[in-house]
Amino acid sequence: MSLLEQIDKDRLPKHLAIIMDGNGRWAKEKGKLRVFGHQNGVLSVRDTVEGAVELGIKYLTLYAFSTENWNRPKLEVMALMELLVSTISKETKTLMDNGVRLNAIGNLNSLPDRCLLQLQDTMKKTAGNSNCTLTLALSYSSRWEITEAAKKIAVKVRDGQLKAEDITEEMFADHLTTADMPDPELMIRTSGEYRISNYLLWQLAYTELYFTSKLWPDFRRQDLFEAVVDYQKRERRFGMTSEQLN
């Protein structure tokens, strides 16, 4: 039985998050510059997105560029931004063909103007698609996101629009950048690292974590299917006992 045949389509994670790690190491192993790994990582993004659509996963969020990534060498950051612009432009047709809506979270105003304009243009073109929402976490930091949410709520309390005792977990979540999507049920990280790296810290509270040693440019939809099969073998208790679930 193939991996795809093992997957129960009625028990899919509605929201899948991925930390795409290992592009630089992949390139280094081949004696190439780091940007070569990022370029090949685009192929993995395309195949993973199409695999998610094939399965019927409604939300896919990819950690594309963290706030901390701005500290990388200037030439690499510039190359990444150029690659982001060209990739979003080239992949618009793929998104349309697969019914994928593009979304983005993070401190988007920190992106170069050309990059932000291309991102906004593709988001507008794909806004009517409904098979899957692909969210790119760009210039994203979960601590930044949580701090911004706290600031918004604090302003409402200060201005008398909200009472402190009325603040709930649900209300706080509504002030996050992911307010319009469910929390991820499954998070995948490639390259053999076992960290969350400031990614969706609030949203991952009850998420199943899956780590693979594959470097991101080698990751394909079969690897995605393998992660989903593993996810479906787990018992998700949310603090309860196995007996309470049965």
Side-chain angles (χ1 to χ4, degrees):
M1 185 184 294
S2 69
L3 284 169
L4 186 57
E5 290 172 328
Q6 294 177 46
I7 294 173
D8 181 352
K9 296 291 184 71
D10 294 325
R11 294 195 302 116
L12 290 170
K14 291 187 182 70
H15 186 177
L16 168 65
I18 301 179
I19 298 177
M20 306 178 293
D21 195 17
N23 289 339
R25 273 171 284 168
W26 186 87
K28 187 176 180 180
E29 286 178 359
K30 292 171 171 47
K32 303 283 188 178
L33 295 174
R34 291 175 62 87
V35 69
F36 181 71
H38 297 309
Q39 290 167 343
N40 281 271
V42 171
L43 303 176
S44 301
V45 171
R46 181 189 302 149
D47 202 51
T48 299
V49 170
E50 291 183 341
V53 172
E54 183 179 358
L55 285 178
I57 292 172
K58 288 298 183 181
Y59 296 90
L60 175 63
T61 301
L62 306 179
Y63 205 0
F65 192 86
S66 72
T67 302
E68 292 80 10
N69 287 155
W70 290 113
N71 296 320
R72 289 188 176 186
K74 188 175 180 181
L75 285 176
E76 182 179 352
V77 172
M78 289 173 61
L80 274 169
M81 290 298 113
E82 285 300 313
L83 178 62
L84 185 60
V85 171
S86 62
T87 298
I88 292 173
S89 177
K90 291 175 184 176
E91 295 299 319
T92 299
K93 184 179 184 301
T94 301
L95 296 176
M96 294 301 297
D97 290 344
N98 286 279
V100 176
R101 178 175 76 93
L102 183 65
N103 181 40
I105 58 174
N107 186 10
L108 303 182
N109 290 328
S110 66
L111 298 174
D113 289 345
R114 185 161 167 261
C115 181
L116 183 58
L117 288 172
Q118 181 60 64
L119 180 64
Q120 291 172 334
D121 181 63
T122 300
M123 286 169 64
K124 184 177 180 181
K125 287 178 179 176
T126 62
N129 295 340
S130 58
N131 285 346
C132 178
T133 295
L134 169 63
T135 299
L136 300 180
L138 293 166
S139 191
Y140 175 86
S141 151
S142 190
R143 288 184 173 181
W144 165 86
E145 177 187 32
I146 291 170
T147 302
E148 289 300 303
K151 286 178 182 178
K152 292 174 187 175
I153 293 172
V155 168
K156 290 183 178 180
V157 173
R158 181 197 66 191
D159 294 344
Q161 301 173 28
L162 185 66
K163 293 180 180 179
E165 55 267 28
D166 294 332
I167 299 172
T168 63
E169 289 185 14
E170 292 74 19
M171 180 183 295
F172 193 91
D174 285 342
H175 288 79
L176 297 172
T177 59
T178 55
D180 59 347
M181 62 182 83
D183 289 342
E185 289 98 341
L186 174 62
M187 193 282 287
I188 299 170
R189 180 168 188 153
T190 60
S191 88
E193 300 290 351
Y194 296 88
R195 296 187 300 274
I196 298 177
S197 296
N198 202 4
Y199 184 47
L200 301 174
L201 299 179
W202 176 282
Q203 298 88 339
L204 294 180
Y206 283 101
T207 301
E208 296 295 324
L209 306 180
Y210 179 89
F211 300 98
T212 173
S213 60
K214 278 206 172 180
L215 302 178
W216 179 249
D218 291 328
F219 193 90
R220 290 295 183 270
R221 73 180 70 189
Q222 289 300 313
D223 301 296
L224 171 66
F225 296 164
E226 187 174 331
V228 173
V229 167
D230 181 86
Y231 163 82
Q232 292 189 339
K233 292 177 181 177
R234 303 185 190 185
E235 182 180 72
R236 308 191 73 221
R237 296 191 296 273
F238 301 99
M240 294 185 288
T241 66
S242 298
E243 290 74 19
Q244 284 176 295
L245 296 175
N246 296 323

